[in-house]
């Protein structure tokens, strides 16, 4: 059609579309991140002064056993929370994908509903449930008080941290899983069932392999924010439950050691880039097969 703009060839039109978001990205994301990255190669020369000296001492300090241990514990926490989210979220996503259209909408709203509430409020709600005088212990005391029930210590434990991490990040697992499962070719599932395979075998041999990219995306989208979580360990955990993000927060606030905090933060960034690159390789391998 004459007069219609070819966006692929019109450089001015493309620049007009990309200009404002690109400017926003550079000014409010790329530049601050570059400044923090530069801080990771600096040293403190005063209370509020940092000299960018090009030193790698901060990264060498990250490799000390103390911080490597905290990082390893954070990776273990993130891996366990992601695994629990995957085990719980996969049946939920599968049920939503096979639900009637009207019910499917309400189920998706139910999954996304926690996002409509502030994270801090949701974490304090968990405290109301898990503390010694909380709703769980009160209910168990009413039910088993005759047997001498004593309140269970759930707060300030690794268990409470794991509950908080799974509760907060479960939607990050369910939504990409649903997106992958909803696009499956249902005729393949029907053929598997018609040929005598049971439901569990069909899920294991047909559904999971076909949804492999969605599962990888769900794992990545869950693992990365869990690894960077600091609110749940800070409010729900004890001294032995602190994760690497809590150490980073202390370096920037209480210790006023911005160079070392920046080095710790970018170690997480490097791990994130590694995870994204690994996912891209898996996608590329799947496309070539």
């Amino acid at each position: 059609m004459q007069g219609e703009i070819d966006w692929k060839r019109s450089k001015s039109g493309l620049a007009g579309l990309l200009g404002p978001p690109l400017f926003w990205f550079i000014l409010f994301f790329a530049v601050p991140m570059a400044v923090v990255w530069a801080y990771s190669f600096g040293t403190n020369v005063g209370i509020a002064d940092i000299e960018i000296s090009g030193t790698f001492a901060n990264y060498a300090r990250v490799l000390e056993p103390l911080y490597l241990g905290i990082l390893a514990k954070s990776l273990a926490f993130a891996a366990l929370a992601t695994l629990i989210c995957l085990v719980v979220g996969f049946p939920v996503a599968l049920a939503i994908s096979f639900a009637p259209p009207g019910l499917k909408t309400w189920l998706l709203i139910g999954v996304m509903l926690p996002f409509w509430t502030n994270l801090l409020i949701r974490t304090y709600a968990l405290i109301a449930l898990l503390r010694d005088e909380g709703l769980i212990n009160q209910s168990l005391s009413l039910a088993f008080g005759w047997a001498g029930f004593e309140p269970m210590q759930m707060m300030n434990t690794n268990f409470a941290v794991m509950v908080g991490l799974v509760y907060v990040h479960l939607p990050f697992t369910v939504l990409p899983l649903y997106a992958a499962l909803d696009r499956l070719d249902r005729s393949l599932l029907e053929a598997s069932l018609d040929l005598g395979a049971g439901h569990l075998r069909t899920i294991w041999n047909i559904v999971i392999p076909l949804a492999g990219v969605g599962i990888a995306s769900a794992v990545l989208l869950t693992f990365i924010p869990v690894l960077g979580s600091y609110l749940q360990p800070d409010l729900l955990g004890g001294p032995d439950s602190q994760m690497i993000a809590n150490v980073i927060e202390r370096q920037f606030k209480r210790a006023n050691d911005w160079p070392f905090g920046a080095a710790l933060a970018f170690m997480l960034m490097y791990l994130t880039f590694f995870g994204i690159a690994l996912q891209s390789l898996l996608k590329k391998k799947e496309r070539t097969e």
Side-chain angles (χ1 to χ4, degrees):
M1 184 175 179
Q2 193 173 11
E4 185 177 355
I5 298 175
D6 188 349
W7 294 105
K8 295 181 179 180
R9 298 180 180 178
S10 176
K11 296 182 179 180
S12 60
L14 186 61
L17 285 175
L18 292 179
L22 187 60
F23 174 77
W24 181 276
F25 174 82
I26 293 174
L27 183 62
F28 295 105
F29 182 80
V31 171
M33 291 298 292
V35 172
V36 176
W37 182 73
Y39 282 168
S40 69
F41 299 99
T43 54
N44 283 328
V45 294
I47 297 178
D49 295 325
I50 298 174
E51 179 185 354
I52 309 301
S53 57
T55 178
F56 285 89
N58 297 308
Y59 287 99
R61 188 178 169 192
V62 171
L63 300 178
E64 292 179 1
L66 173 63
Y67 300 107
L68 284 179
I70 296 175
L71 180 59
K73 181 173 65 176
S74 302
L75 290 170
F77 272 35
L80 180 58
T82 302
L83 178 62
I84 296 173
C85 286
L86 190 62
V87 171
V88 174
F90 189 87
V92 174
L94 189 63
I96 295 175
S97 65
F98 281 93
L103 180 60
K104 183 183 297 185
T105 302
W106 289 104
L107 291 175
L108 288 173
I109 292 175
V111 172
M112 294 183 290
L113 193 61
F115 290 125
W116 300 355
T117 306
N118 184 272
L119 177 60
L120 185 62
I121 295 175
R122 284 183 281 157
T123 305
Y124 274 112
L126 285 178
I127 293 176
L129 288 174
L130 299 175
R131 62 182 181 177
D132 292 348
E133 303 83 13
L135 296 177
I136 294 178
N137 276 318
Q138 286 183 0
S139 300
L140 292 175
S141 179
L142 289 174
F144 302 103
W146 55 270
F149 172 80
E150 295 290 336
M152 294 186 296
Q153 175 66 34
M154 291 181 286
M155 281 295 300
N156 303 320
T157 62
N158 292 338
F159 170 78
V161 173
M162 193 57 57
V163 169
L165 292 174
V166 172
Y167 168 68
V168 169
H169 297 93
L170 186 59
F172 291 98
T173 306
V174 174
L175 294 177
L177 284 176
Y178 162 75
L181 294 172
D182 196 51
R183 295 195 301 264
L184 291 181
D185 187 352
R186 305 297 171 87
S187 62
L188 297 176
L189 308 184
E190 295 173 358
S192 175
L193 294 173
D194 290 341
L195 291 174
H199 287 84
L200 291 178
R201 189 174 180 183
T202 298
I203 291 174
W204 183 258
N205 292 333
I206 305 297
V207 175
I208 292 179
L210 291 177
V213 174
I215 294 173
S217 299
V219 169
L220 187 64
L221 290 173
T222 306
F223 182 85
I224 291 174
V226 171
L227 185 60
S229 297
Y230 79 95
L231 189 62
Q232 290 77 37
D234 190 52
L235 295 181
L236 301 175
D240 296 331
S241 304
Q242 299 300 290
M243 296 174 64
I244 192 66
N246 302 104
V247 179
I248 295 173
E249 184 265 346
R250 284 197 298 269
Q251 299 305 317
F252 278 99
K253 287 188 175 181
R254 304 175 194 175
N256 197 33
D257 192 352
W258 285 37
F260 181 55
L264 283 170
F266 268 88
M267 284 299 294
L268 289 186
M269 289 286 292
Y270 302 147
L271 290 174
T272 299
F273 291 150
F274 175 78
I276 294 174
L278 183 61
Q279 186 200 27
S280 300
L281 289 175
L282 291 175
K283 283 186 177 181
K284 185 177 180 181
K285 182 179 178 181
E286 183 171 319
R287 289 171 184 170
T288 56
E289 290 179 351

